[in-house]
């Protein structure tokens, strides 16, 4: 037991599989542990590297196991999969995690504190409520279409749908009206909850100095700024802005060979919430620039003149991500480039 240098643990709800190996990679033990046995087992081991996949509850267990004296490391599941031999099961997964953790070039996920995870709860909750609101809007729009009521798309036109349902003069069948009223009432309740979260996010943005500096970037508002502060790792984790953009999944996918460079669509590998928010912020900037070219910078104006707007939006989100990293790493505020002549 004293020769153990690396332990791979396959996380689960109730039964955990652990795999211990020595510095040469030889197997020392394979064990199944119930949830209540995990910490007592690791407290008896000498200090070693304990690796696990970066999945649900991983940050919690990394903190708890580190508290009993071990060096904990989180590995992206995609980097563990190549080490799984033949059949997939808990024992094979734990062995693969142990082997992956011993690779000298392996990349690890930065662990989060409980406070950092708590800061991200508001954004996860807001995303959930916005998705539910979208589902209800689509359902209401689809039902009313069957009765000949067509309203323009967008959250701003939802009020017209609600008014149609509440209007006794509308020729909606009496049997359907009470059911549609349930949808409209649920929509109004969700709107109030989302507005409450938006106010909380705005208050956080006003009191956080980093968020206030990030909001100087065009397209970055309170929601995006506070989300970046809460969900993004420390700027020191990345060597340069491109690495941060790659972590967000905003760089082209490479499929190069034989010295010939082939770049495809964006990788979409990384933090989905932040990537989506940055693309939404970039979309608002490109929309304003397309409507009023005088407000566009030289780069954006030239791109809008020769490229599709959606392509430019993603490229601008990439530039915004690099700017975000620069401000978080070096301080200061955003300075706008000269406008196009």
């Amino acid at each position: 037991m004293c020769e153990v240098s690396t332990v791979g643990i396959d996380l689960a709800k109730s039964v955990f599989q652990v795999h211990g190996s020595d510095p040469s990679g030889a197997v020392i033990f394979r064990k199944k542990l119930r949830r209540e046995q995990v910490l007592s087992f690791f407290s008896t081991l000498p200090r070693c590297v304990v690796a696990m996949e970066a999945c649900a509850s991983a940050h919690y267990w990394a903190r708890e196991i580190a508290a009993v004296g071990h060096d904990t490391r989180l590995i992206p599941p995609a980097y563990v999969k190549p080490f799984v031999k033949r059949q997939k099961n808990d024992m094979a997964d734990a062995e693969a995690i142990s082997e992956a953790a011993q690779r000298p070039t392996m990349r690890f996920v930065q662990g989060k504190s409980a406070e950092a995870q708590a800061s991200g709860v508001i954004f996860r909750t807001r995303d959930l409520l916005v998705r539910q609101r979208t589902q209800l809007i689509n359902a209401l729009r689809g039902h009313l279409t069957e009765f000949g009521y067509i309203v323009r798309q967008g959250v701003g036109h939802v009020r017209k749908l609600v008014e149609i349902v509440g209007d006794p003069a509308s020729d909606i069948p009496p049997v359907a009206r009470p059911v549609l009223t349930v949808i409209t009432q649920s929509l109004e309740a969700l709107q109030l909850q989302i507005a409450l979260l938006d106010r909380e996010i705005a208050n956080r943005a006003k009191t956080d100095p980093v968020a206030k500096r990030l909001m100087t970037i065009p397209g970055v508002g309170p929601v995006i700024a506070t989300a970046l502060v809460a969900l993004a790792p420390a700027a020191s984790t990345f060597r340069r802005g491109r690495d941060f953009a790659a972590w967000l999944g905003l760089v082209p996918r490479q499929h190069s060979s034989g010295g010939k460079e082939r770049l495809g669509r964006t990788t979409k590998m990384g933090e989905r919430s932040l990537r989506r928010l940055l693309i939404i912020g970039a979309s608002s900037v490109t929309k304003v620039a397309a409507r009023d070219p005088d407000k566009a910078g030289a780069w954006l104006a030239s791109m809008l003149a020769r490229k599709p707007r959606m392509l430019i939006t993603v490229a601008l989100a990439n530039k915004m991500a690099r700017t975000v990293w620069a401000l978080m790493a070096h301080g200061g505020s955003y300075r706008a480039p000269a406008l196009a002549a």
Side-chain angles (χ1 to χ4, degrees), residues 45 60 80 101 120 123 150 170 191 217-218 244 259 270 279 310 326 333:
L45 287 181
Y60 165 78
V80 174
F123 301 101
I150 308 296
S170 60
Q191 293 278 35
I217 303 172
F244 180 59
I279 290 176
M310 191 59 212
S333 299

Side-chain angles (χ1 to χ4, degrees), residues 124-253:
R124 309 297 187 197
T125 305
R126 185 181 183 277
D127 281 346
L128 172 63
L129 296 182
V130 170
R131 288 198 302 270
Q132 291 176 342
R133 181 181 65 182
T134 303
Q135 291 174 344
L136 289 174
I137 291 173
N138 291 339
L140 185 59
R141 187 186 305 279
H143 291 317
L144 290 181
T145 299
E146 297 297 328
F147 304 122
Y149 293 100
I150 308 296
V151 176
R152 292 180 61 187
Q153 293 185 356
V155 177
H157 301 285
V158 175
R159 175 52 52 187
K160 295 180 181 178
L161 297 174
V162 176
E163 290 173 355
I164 291 171
V165 173
D167 184 6
S170 60
D171 56 353
I172 297 176
V175 177
R177 193 182 299 275
V179 181
L180 295 177
T181 301
V182 172
I183 297 179
T184 59
Q185 290 174 347
S186 300
L187 262 176
E188 291 172 351
L190 279 176
Q191 293 278 35
L192 291 174
Q193 292 170 341
I194 293 172
L196 178 65
L197 294 180
D198 286 342
R199 286 195 295 272
E200 173 62 23
I201 291 172
N203 290 335
R204 293 187 185 185
K206 292 177 182 177
T207 58
D208 191 292
V210 178
K212 291 171 70 173
R213 290 192 292 106
L214 293 181
M215 284 192 291
T216 61
I217 303 172
V220 176
V223 174
I224 300 177
T226 48
L228 286 165
V229 172
L231 302 178
S236 58
T237 308
F238 308 98
R239 289 183 299 172
R240 53 187 182 270
R242 188 192 182 282
D243 294 343
F244 180 59
W247 178 79
L248 290 170
L250 287 170
V251 297
R253 183 185 297 276

Side-chain angles (χ1 to χ4, degrees), residues 4-153:
V4 176
S5 65
T6 307
V7 177
I9 175 170
D10 185 54
L11 300 178
K13 292 182 179 179
S14 302
V15 180
F16 298 67
Q17 181 76 38
V18 295
H19 177 99
S21 56
D22 65 12
S24 67
V27 179
I28 301 299
F29 62 81
R30 293 187 177 99
K31 285 182 175 293
K32 281 187 177 181
L33 301 173
R34 298 199 67 81
R35 185 182 183 89
E36 60 273 11
Q37 298 174 321
V38 173
L39 292 180
S40 60
F41 172 78
F42 281 103
S43 64
T44 63
L45 287 181
R47 181 180 175 83
C48 60
V49 173
V50 180
M52 61 199 79
E53 289 182 320
C55 58
S57 76
H59 292 280
Y60 165 78
W61 284 112
R63 293 192 300 268
E64 294 297 311
I65 295 174
V68 297
H70 296 287
D71 180 12
T72 55
R73 299 181 183 178
L74 304 179
I75 308 176
Y79 295 168
V80 174
K81 188 175 181 180
F83 293 91
V84 177
K85 301 181 181 69
R86 297 179 70 85
Q87 305 299 325
K88 183 190 182 306
N89 51 54
D90 292 347
M91 186 170 64
D93 287 347
E95 181 179 354
I97 293 168
S98 177
E99 291 188 10
Q102 297 178 63
R103 298 302 92 200
T105 58
M106 181 54 60
R107 298 178 181 179
F108 300 100
V109 175
Q110 185 181 39
K112 294 182 179 179
S113 65
E115 292 74 18
Q117 286 187 288
S119 297
V121 169
I122 188 170
F123 301 101
R124 309 297 187 197
T125 305
R126 185 181 183 277
D127 281 346
L128 172 63
L129 296 182
V130 170
R131 288 198 302 270
Q132 291 176 342
R133 181 181 65 182
T134 303
Q135 291 174 344
L136 289 174
I137 291 173
N138 291 339
L140 185 59
R141 187 186 305 279
H143 291 317
L144 290 181
T145 299
E146 297 297 328
F147 304 122
Y149 293 100
I150 308 296
V151 176
R152 292 180 61 187
Q153 293 185 356

Side-chain angles (χ1 to χ4, degrees), residues 306-322:
R306 54 193 175 88
K307 296 288 185 180
R309 200 168 85 183
M310 191 59 212
L311 185 148
I312 300 168
T313 297
V314 177
L316 180 59
N318 184 309
K319 288 174 67 70
M320 290 168 61
R322 297 182 187 215

